[in-house]
Amino acid sequence: MGQLKLLVQVAFRNLFASWVNVIIGGIILFGTVLVVVGGAVVDSLDESMSRSIIGSVAGHLQVYSEKSKDSLALYGKMGGEADLRVIERFSDIKKVLEQHPNVKTVVPMGTNSTLLMSGNTVDLTLARLRDLYKQAAAGETPGLRAQIDSLKSHVRQMIALLEKDLERRNAIAAENAMDPADLRALERARTPEFWDGFEKDPLASLELLENRIAPLVTDGDMIPLRYLGTDLVNFQKTFDRMRIVDGTAVPEGQRGLLLPKFSYEEFYKLKTARRLDLIKEARDVNHRKIADDPELQRRLKENQTQTRELLFQLDPLKTQQAIARLQKALGSQETELEKLLVAFFTMDDTNFDTRYQQFYAELVPLLDLYRLRLGDELTITAFTRTGYARSANVKVYGTFDFTGMEKSQLAGSLSLMDLITFRELYGYLTVDQKDELEKLQAASGVTDVKREDAEAALFGEDSTLVAETASGSIDVDAQLEGVSQARQQQEQAPRKYTQQDIDDGVVLHAAVMLKNPDMLEQTLVELQEASKKAGLPLKVVSWHQASDLVGQIILVAKLVLYAAVFITFVVAVVIINNAVMMATLQRVREIGTLRAIGAQRGFVLGMVLLETTVLGLVFGAAGALLGTLAVKGLGVMGIPAFHESLYFFFSGPRLFPTLQASNIITALVIVLGVSAFSTFYPAYLATRVSPLQAMQTDE
């Protein structure tokens, strides 16, 4: 103990005795700060991302069939959806999973994706006109006739604008001249005779416009739709970060679709309005300037050159209103709407905010701000599990987002669909289809025959499947009358689905929420064992595994941190080794004198090692203190998400790092280990110096 006390005194005495020690201390301090701050940020990022994934779709655990070809990937895989085997009855796995004392709830799920063709402005207008004519067939009213005449004049104006647009296009690129058949159709649609005879056969006239004129307008889009079929009521109760933004939730027991607010704004909003929104956000949130930002300038230029989507939406009456409002806003006497729009969208940092408010106050009331309105039915065509296309009409009830992740593309890419419709699109019979099939079988006298009895039923003496019949003996209308009436009743009063309908059907996977998330790993193992005992071929995975590539991002962040720490300390080892070597050579005479008066080699070795250890502790503690202060400061201010993609990983607009004791302990252990390792060789050399040789040395 006396020797140890002496060595500690010597170590503290030599702490700042040489500039070499200051260099070594600076390296240790920097490394400690890096480990403390980097570790705290990465751990906080891991925690934030887990909140995003767990709170938006994954739950703490996910279960799916172990017979699946691919692993579950909640956010999709490169090249499409994961190939999962279906779980035939959700109620079977729900019963087993909910028996575990740590399981709070189980939510059925299934994901799929498709592409939707968004009709262009002419398509949408013609569709509304067709609907009005269908209503008029049941009884025309003065109000209905006024709407029809207004839309007809709107279509005529669209055709005039389209003809002008095509003339400019053909003048620029003669090789892209119109097809002669389309040209004849356009010329016919421009004649007064066509419109004078429109009312004689409106549906035939609409067919010409839909098939020949509408395709000439190229502002339709292919919109990606990735949807999650689930028990919508249970989903909203389980994932409490979800909130309805616009519209309403899908009524319990009804079919319906909820679109993510992010995707609704991105894909269905008027492109001109969306560009203005993005510019305003960049200016207000990120403090970017139009004058200095090429991207903002590009968006403004697109608004100036792509005014057609606005022109096509305005009928003659609204066109005059728009001209009057723009003349007032601009103080202009210009009478051509297109030129007024170009002048209006000539914006800079001084007039942007005013023009932005004027756009929404004056022009938007004259326009359809969204191509798809809440309450409309969306026709979704998707590929089933066997590869053929299937369609379903689904009502869009509203939009939703997850609190704190409103601007996240990852969190805003998945639409929510009722599980019944999902099963239909995935190729399984729904309750309605089963009922309809049973009624068809009853009406047509179809009999089920087992495979082993098929030959006897067809060719046996008592065959019941072969009968003589005469032409016209089957009254198809009479046979199908009941089915037709049932379908009409279903369309008028949609069926309300029960919880049993939801549970007694197929799912692809299910989310499991736990009462105590700290027991995740233990619960995972126990649920896996329970499913095997129940004879269910299930695979249970954590949220981290279920998120696939997204979940690996935090691993990449940790690897980057560890690589930076490793490189820093490799450099530190070399520098500390050389520095201690130089310091040891400068103290050869001192070491020799100590040896001459009786100091053993172990004493010399301990002295050199302890000096570096004390140096590491002092500067390491200082680095830990600075790192702690830095993390505390970041915890108050937060690290801003400078890009929308980071909202998901930060679980909000800012990441607020928190410090754990493990971050400081890890940093000090690494620092002390590196210091001792770097010093061992120079200390060993110091013990090999003989007293006589050292005392004869001049330096």
Side-chain angles (χ1 to χ4, degrees):
M1 290 298 296
Q3 284 189 355
L4 179 61
K5 183 177 179 180
L6 177 62
L7 289 176
V8 171
Q9 290 175 346
V10 172
F12 276 101
R13 185 202 67 183
N14 294 333
L15 191 61
F16 297 102
S18 171
W19 61 269
V20 175
N21 287 350
V22 177
I23 294 176
I24 297 173
I27 296 172
I28 292 173
L29 186 144
F30 173 76
T32 308
V33 172
L34 176 64
V35 174
V36 171
V37 176
V41 170
V42 172
D43 289 346
S44 299
L45 184 62
D46 190 9
E47 183 181 351
S48 296
M49 193 175 72
S50 70
R51 290 199 304 270
S52 296
I53 296 176
I54 292 171
S56 61
V57 64
H60 296 105
L61 300 173
Q62 281 278 329
V63 296
Y64 63 101
S65 174
E66 65 178 10
K67 297 179 181 179
S68 298
K69 183 178 179 180
D70 297 329
S71 299
L72 176 63
L74 290 173
Y75 297 97
K77 300 179 72 71
M78 298 295 290
E81 297 294 326
D83 188 355
L84 303 180
R85 288 286 296 273
V86 298
I87 299 170
E88 294 295 339
R89 284 172 60 89
F90 170 66
S91 56
D92 293 340
I93 67 169
K94 180 181 180 181
K95 181 179 179 181
V96 172
L97 296 175
E98 289 187 341
Q99 287 177 351
H100 193 285
N102 194 33
V103 172
K104 183 178 180 181
T105 185
V106 184
V107 184
M109 292 182 174
T111 53
N112 203 359
S113 56
T114 187
L115 287 174
L116 301 177
M117 183 61 192
S118 169
N120 58 48
T121 311
V122 177
D123 278 323
L124 299 176
T125 305
L126 292 175
R128 289 198 293 271
L129 186 56
R130 180 178 286 274
D131 288 340
L132 291 177
Y133 273 111
K134 288 181 180 178
Q135 295 176 32
E140 185 175 310
T141 63
L144 193 59
R145 170 48 56 183
Q147 293 181 52
I148 290 175
D149 292 340
S150 175
L151 276 183
K152 282 173 61 179
S153 64
H154 189 187
V155 173
R156 295 187 70 173
Q157 179 164 317
M158 285 181 172
I159 293 173
L161 291 170
L162 177 61
E163 187 176 42
K164 187 186 299 184
D165 186 54
L166 292 174
E167 287 175 357
R168 288 200 297 261
R169 187 202 307 173
N170 292 338
I172 296 173
E175 66 275 9
N176 293 329
M178 288 177 57
D179 182 274
D182 292 335
L183 184 60
R184 289 194 296 271
L186 184 60
E187 290 176 350
R188 180 185 171 191
R190 287 281 287 144
T191 61
E193 291 78 15
F194 175 80
W195 292 99
D196 291 340
F198 195 94
E199 294 297 331
K200 295 179 181 178
D201 192 355
L203 297 183
S205 301
L206 283 171
E207 186 174 350
L208 170 72
L209 297 176
E210 290 167 342
N211 294 336
R212 283 295 182 182
I213 306 303
L216 300 177
V217 181
T218 57
D219 63 348
D221 294 319
M222 294 295 291
I223 298 176
L225 177 69
R226 191 163 185 268
Y227 53 90
L228 176 77
T230 186
D231 179 350
L232 293 174
V233 175
N234 195 13
F235 184 95
Q236 190 167 1
K237 291 178 180 177
T238 302
F239 299 95
D240 54 8
R241 295 185 67 171
M242 174 195 166
R243 64 187 182 98
I244 302 296
V245 181
D246 304 309
T248 64
V250 178
E252 185 173 357
Q254 298 293 328
R255 294 192 183 207
L257 183 71
L258 295 174
L259 294 173
K261 179 66 173 178
F262 181 91
S263 297
Y264 189 60
E265 295 288 316
E266 187 71 21
F267 298 116
Y268 292 100
K269 194 170 189 177
L270 199 66
K271 291 183 176 62
T272 301
R274 181 61 177 161
R275 294 188 198 106
L276 291 176
D277 292 343
L278 293 173
I279 295 171
K280 183 168 181 58
E281 181 182 339
R283 283 168 45 82
D284 294 349
V285 178
N286 300 323
H287 307 292
R288 291 157 62 181
K289 299 293 184 182
I290 296 174
D292 304 325
D293 197 313
E295 182 181 359
L296 302 187
Q297 295 171 11
R298 174 181 59 80
R299 286 187 171 133
L300 284 176
K301 189 66 176 178
E302 288 173 350
N303 276 355
Q304 294 173 12
T305 57
Q306 299 178 23
T307 58
R308 186 177 60 179
E309 68 170 353
L310 304 183
L311 297 174
F312 274 25
Q313 281 207 32
L314 300 173
D315 59 28
L317 177 60
K318 290 181 178 178
T319 297
Q320 294 304 316
Q321 292 176 331
I323 290 174
R325 295 178 183 185
L326 287 173
Q327 287 176 337
K328 181 179 179 181
L330 297 172
S332 171
Q333 298 299 316
E334 176 62 51
T335 58
E336 187 175 343
L337 179 57
E338 185 173 3
K339 292 181 179 179
L340 285 169
L341 288 172
V342 172
F344 181 78
F345 290 126
T346 304
M347 301 177 180
D348 53 33
D349 291 307
T350 59
N351 65 11
F352 178 83
D353 291 332
T354 301
R355 296 274 175 91
Y356 181 85
Q357 294 174 359
Q358 290 173 336
F359 174 78
Y360 275 96
E362 303 295 338
L363 292 182
V364 166
L366 304 176
L367 304 166
D368 287 328
L369 191 57
Y370 295 93
R371 291 188 177 187
L372 178 69
R373 290 169 292 189
L374 301 182
D376 288 350
E377 280 198 348
L378 187 63
T379 300
I380 300 175
T381 302
F383 287 101
T384 66
R385 69 194 190 283
T386 53
Y388 66 90
R390 196 159 190 173
S391 299
N393 293 327
V394 190
K395 183 178 178 180
V396 180
Y397 278 90
T399 66
F400 73 97
D401 61 20
F402 296 99
T403 305
M405 296 183 288
E406 295 84 356
K407 297 178 182 177
S408 168
Q409 184 174 357
L410 271 175
S413 62
L414 202 60
S415 299
L416 298 179
M417 177 188 290
D418 69 280
L419 197 55
I420 304 299
T421 304
F422 173 84
R423 289 168 181 163
E424 181 179 342
L425 289 171
Y426 205 67
Y428 284 87
L429 287 177
T430 63
V431 179
D432 293 334
Q433 291 170 332
K434 289 179 181 178
D435 291 344
E436 184 176 342
L437 183 60
E438 290 174 358
K439 290 175 181 177
L440 283 171
Q441 289 176 336
S444 59
V446 174
T447 304
D448 290 331
V449 178
K450 295 182 179 179
R451 180 186 295 271
E452 58 269 21
D453 299 332
E455 185 175 350
L458 285 169
F459 306 109
E461 295 180 359
D462 298 327
S463 172
T464 58
L465 299 186
V466 180
E468 296 292 333
T469 184
S471 175
S473 61
I474 299 177
D475 188 345
V476 177
D477 293 336
Q479 295 289 331
L480 299 181
E481 181 179 0
V483 176
S484 176
Q485 291 176 353
R487 179 173 290 276
Q488 290 177 2
Q489 292 174 359
Q490 179 185 336
E491 291 176 353
Q492 295 171 359
R495 171 175 180 160
K496 188 172 183 179
Y497 298 93
T498 65
Q499 190 63 44
Q500 185 176 355
D501 293 332
I502 295 173
D503 290 348
D504 291 347
V506 302
V507 293
L508 295 185
H509 52 98
V512 180
M513 296 296 287
L514 304 180
K515 298 175 183 176
N516 183 6
D518 294 334
M519 297 176 60
L520 186 147
E521 293 297 333
Q522 178 183 342
T523 305
L524 187 154
V525 174
E526 291 172 354
L527 289 179
Q528 189 72 68
E529 293 176 353
S531 64
K532 287 183 179 179
K533 290 180 181 179
L536 298 174
L538 296 181
K539 188 170 184 179
V540 186
V541 296
S542 67
W543 65 267
H544 195 278
Q545 294 171 283
S547 55
D548 197 51
L549 292 176
V550 175
Q552 302 305 317
I553 291 178
I554 190 64
L555 177 61
V556 173
K558 288 184 177 180
L559 291 176
V560 170
L561 173 64
Y562 295 152
V565 170
F566 177 77
I567 293 171
T568 300
F569 283 113
V570 164
V571 174
V573 166
V574 174
I575 296 175
I576 293 173
N577 185 277
N578 290 335
V580 174
M581 185 74 73
M582 292 173 59
T584 303
L585 291 176
Q586 291 175 355
R587 299 169 61 187
V588 168
R589 294 188 65 183
E590 177 185 342
I591 294 172
T593 302
L594 289 172
R595 290 294 310 281
I597 62 176
Q600 300 299 314
R601 289 181 177 178
F603 180 86
V604 174
L605 179 64
M607 180 185 70
V608 177
L609 286 175
L610 190 59
E611 284 184 8
T612 308
T613 301
V614 170
L615 188 69
L617 279 173
V618 171
F619 282 93
L625 178 61
L626 289 176
T628 300
L629 293 175
V631 173
K632 293 293 184 182
L634 291 174
V636 174
M637 298 183 298
I639 302 174
F642 55 84
H643 192 272
E644 290 177 349
S645 60
L646 293 178
Y647 277 69
F648 185 81
F649 302 106
F650 287 7
S651 195
R654 287 179 177 269
L655 176 67
F656 297 95
T658 57
L659 188 66
Q660 305 293 332
S662 59
N663 301 129
I664 298 176
I665 294 172
T666 301
L668 292 177
V669 169
I670 292 175
V671 164
L672 291 178
V674 169
S675 301
F677 179 78
S678 305
T679 311
F680 184 80
Y681 181 67
Y684 172 76
L685 291 181
T687 64
R688 310 309 299 174
V689 178
S690 65
L692 180 61
Q693 180 184 5
M695 296 180 71
Q696 290 176 347
T697 303
D698 293 334
E699 295 182 359

